[in-house]
Structures are given as C-alpha cells and as structure tokens.
Amino acid sequence: MRYIALVPDSPLTSQAFHVLIALAARDQHGYGIMQDVAARTQGKIRLGAGTLYGLIKRLLEDALIVEVRETKRPPKSEDDDRRRYYRLTPNGRRAAQAEVARLTELLAQARAHGLVAKPN
C-alpha cells in the first residue's frame, strides 16, 4: 500500500482534491461523486468514468478513502445494489486539509504580489 506525504511539497491533483471534497460531508457512490464535482464547479470540471475510477483506485491504495458496505442508502427503488459507496478516511481528511493550507498560502502570496485584491 502506498501512502502520500502530507506535506506542501506533495500537493494533491485538482481532480483528487475534488473527490475528497465530495466525500467530506457524506458517503457517495461514483456517479454521485461525478455529479457533486460537476455541480460544485458549475460544470468546469467533469470527471469521466475512466478518470474517476482511476482516481478512486489510487485514493483507495493511498488509504485516503475506503469502500463502505454499510451506509445510508436511498430507497431500493432509487438505488442499485451494484453501486459501491466510498468514505473519506481520517488520513484523507488530513490530506485535504493539508491541500487547503497549501492553497491558502499560495493565495496569500498572490495577494502579497498584487495578483489578487486584498480582502476588505
């Protein structure tokens, strides 16, 4: 099993970060993650199935997410037993928080150099 270093030198890819954000509040299946990312980015980021499931495989290997068997599922009439649900792990939450800190620092540097308006 591989583990990612939780240091600013090892940023998450934008797509991986979006998957972690999608799982931060609740367990979701792959299609739900795709919809969540598209909705939050107003369609600017659309994860195709191949891209998403490649990301999921890597995030599982890195222990940033886990597949869950027991989760709150929709009613049987709205669900498919073949769906796999995923959950953010504590390590995944730390990785996402480290990425937020890294991006916050970059934003502060951009503001300091006049690239972003300073907040009121």
Side-chain angles (χ1 to χ4, degrees), residues 33-110:
I33 294 169
M34 289 170 37
Q35 290 178 312
D36 182 283
V37 171
R40 273 187 301 97
T41 64
Q42 289 80 45
K44 293 179 185 128
I45 297 179
R46 293 189 179 273
L47 300 174
T51 299
L52 175 65
Y53 288 103
L55 281 167
I56 286 174
K57 180 181 177 192
R58 193 178 84 234
L59 294 170
L60 286 166
E61 289 170 355
D62 291 340
L64 301 181
I65 66 172
V66 293
E67 184 178 340
V68 290
R69 302 274 182 222
E70 297 298 320
T71 189
K72 184 177 178 188
R73 296 180 75 111
K76 288 267 187 202
S77 62
E78 299 172 22
D79 197 20
D80 184 334
D81 288 337
R82 296 171 295 179
R83 284 186 174 155
R84 294 181 178 183
Y85 282 77
Y86 303 95
R87 177 177 294 156
L88 191 62
T89 65
N91 197 35
R93 188 167 299 279
R94 284 189 296 275
Q97 290 167 336
E99 185 65 5
V100 169
R102 186 186 75 82
L103 294 171
T104 299
E105 176 61 28
L106 284 175
L107 183 57
Q109 291 175 21

